[in-house]
Amino acid sequence: MTATATQTAAMAASAVNRLGGAFLECPRTLRRARELGLTGWACYVAGRGGALGDVRPDTVAAALGLIAPDAVRDGWDAARRALSPREVAAHMLAECCRWGTEHLDDVPRVDRLVELTEKAVLAADGSGLPLFAAWRAMPVPGDGPGARAAVALHLLREHRAGALLLGVRACGLSPVQALVAGPEGEAAAVAFGWQPPYPPVAPLLRRRAWADAVADRVGGQAVQRFTPAERGELVTLLKDTARTVFPRRS
């Protein structure tokens, strides 16, 4: 069966999320954060939100969407005491390229992965997705295939994150409800700064599935003009790359 654009986004989501965010969890990235005077949390918040520039914490919280506002404020203010948010984002983009060079340069068919992911990034509509649009506007410091692939995957991850946030709001879920009803459950709520008690999950599952369906539909827009063969190839490349990079987790 030929996958639609929406189905393609759904099938690609897991690999995009894992590959696009891997550099943020990399020990070398966290070591670089410490060298810059940043905690891991400040690096995460300003590393993602810093593409927006030196804006107010509540603006960053609105763009990130699912993170508790107080946790965003703590990370943002801590980062600003060391560097400007835009500088943090630039450093994290450099780390993304470094991670890509180390982990993706030698994966099979990386050049084709670059071609298809960059095509999707360029085709994606940034309306209502401020973090994705801000990251897409940043100059890329690396030009090797692994670096380019890593940046494109990070951009697709931000596109997916923004699309999910649109879905969460459309179906009436609060951020903490969306997190506990998601694949990581209460662990995601804890990681994103929300305090217990947490709401019961069962009544939320249908609306969370709706939110994911909205994210698939919005994400599918990026591959709407792909041929059926290109959509299938993209999904296969993403899954194969994820298995290569994370052999123990696949």
Side-chain angles (χ1 to χ4, degrees), residues 16 93 96-97 104 109-125 132 136 138-157 159 221-223 226 230 234 237-238:
V16 165
L93 184 57
C96 180
C97 291
L104 301 179
R109 305 189 67 212
V110 64
D111 291 330
R112 184 59 172 161
L113 179 66
V114 169
E115 184 179 355
L116 291 176
T117 53
E118 288 185 345
K119 180 178 178 179
V121 165
L122 291 173
D125 186 350
F132 166 73
R136 186 168 60 178
M138 290 185 66
V140 179
D143 60 359
R148 288 175 60 188
V151 171
L153 289 163
H154 172 57
L155 285 166
L156 289 178
R157 181 174 181 266
H159 189 267
Q221 178 270 329
V223 295
F226 278 38
E230 286 176 327
L234 175 61
L237 281 171
L238 288 168

Side-chain angles (χ1 to χ4, degrees), residues 79-123:
R80 289 178 66 189
R81 287 192 288 270
L83 295 169
S84 74
R86 195 173 295 278
E87 287 176 316
V88 178
H91 282 293
M92 290 304 100
L93 184 57
E95 287 302 303
C96 180
C97 291
R98 187 268 311 159
W99 183 90
T101 298
E102 293 178 354
H103 295 274
L104 301 179
D105 260 359
D106 295 326
V107 300
R109 305 189 67 212
V110 64
D111 291 330
R112 184 59 172 161
L113 179 66
V114 169
E115 184 179 355
L116 291 176
T117 53
E118 288 185 345
K119 180 178 178 179
V121 165
L122 291 173

Side-chain angles (χ1 to χ4, degrees), residues 12-195:
S14 177
V16 165
N17 285 333
R18 291 168 66 186
L19 291 164
F23 78 95
L24 290 168
E25 302 174 2
C26 175
R28 287 192 60 183
T29 300
L30 297 177
R31 184 164 65 246
R32 180 58 177 152
R34 290 193 295 272
E35 292 171 354
L36 295 170
L38 303 170
T39 65
W41 182 244
C43 176
Y44 179 83
V45 171
R48 287 186 63 199
L52 298 169
D54 194 9
V55 298
R56 296 174 59 88
D58 55 351
T59 302
V60 183
L64 292 171
L66 298 182
I67 304 177
D70 287 346
V72 173
R73 186 176 301 107
D74 289 346
W76 191 253
D77 289 344
R80 289 178 66 189
R81 287 192 288 270
L83 295 169
S84 74
R86 195 173 295 278
E87 287 176 316
V88 178
H91 282 293
M92 290 304 100
L93 184 57
E95 287 302 303
C96 180
C97 291
R98 187 268 311 159
W99 183 90
T101 298
E102 293 178 354
H103 295 274
L104 301 179
D105 260 359
D106 295 326
V107 300
R109 305 189 67 212
V110 64
D111 291 330
R112 184 59 172 161
L113 179 66
V114 169
E115 184 179 355
L116 291 176
T117 53
E118 288 185 345
K119 180 178 178 179
V121 165
L122 291 173
D125 186 350
S127 301
L129 307 171
L131 273 183
F132 166 73
W135 272 103
R136 186 168 60 178
M138 290 185 66
V140 179
D143 60 359
R148 288 175 60 188
V151 171
L153 289 163
H154 172 57
L155 285 166
L156 289 178
R157 181 174 181 266
E158 288 293 359
H159 189 267
R160 175 76 190 191
L164 178 60
L165 183 58
L166 293 178
V168 166
R169 298 311 308 269
C171 69
L173 287 172
S174 70
V176 70
Q177 287 176 329
L179 290 169
V180 299
E184 297 179 20
E186 291 184 0
V190 172
F192 278 7
W194 298 99
Q195 300 299 313

Side-chain angles (χ1 to χ4, degrees), residues 178-233:
L179 290 169
V180 299
E184 297 179 20
E186 291 184 0
V190 172
F192 278 7
W194 298 99
Q195 300 299 313
Y198 301 118
V201 173
L204 305 173
L205 293 177
R206 182 173 295 181
R207 280 189 288 165
R208 171 62 200 232
W210 179 17
D212 288 328
V214 172
D216 294 338
R217 187 171 184 83
V218 174
Q221 178 270 329
V223 295
Q224 188 70 47
R225 295 185 179 275
F226 278 38
T227 67
E230 286 176 327
R231 291 175 194 160
E233 186 180 10

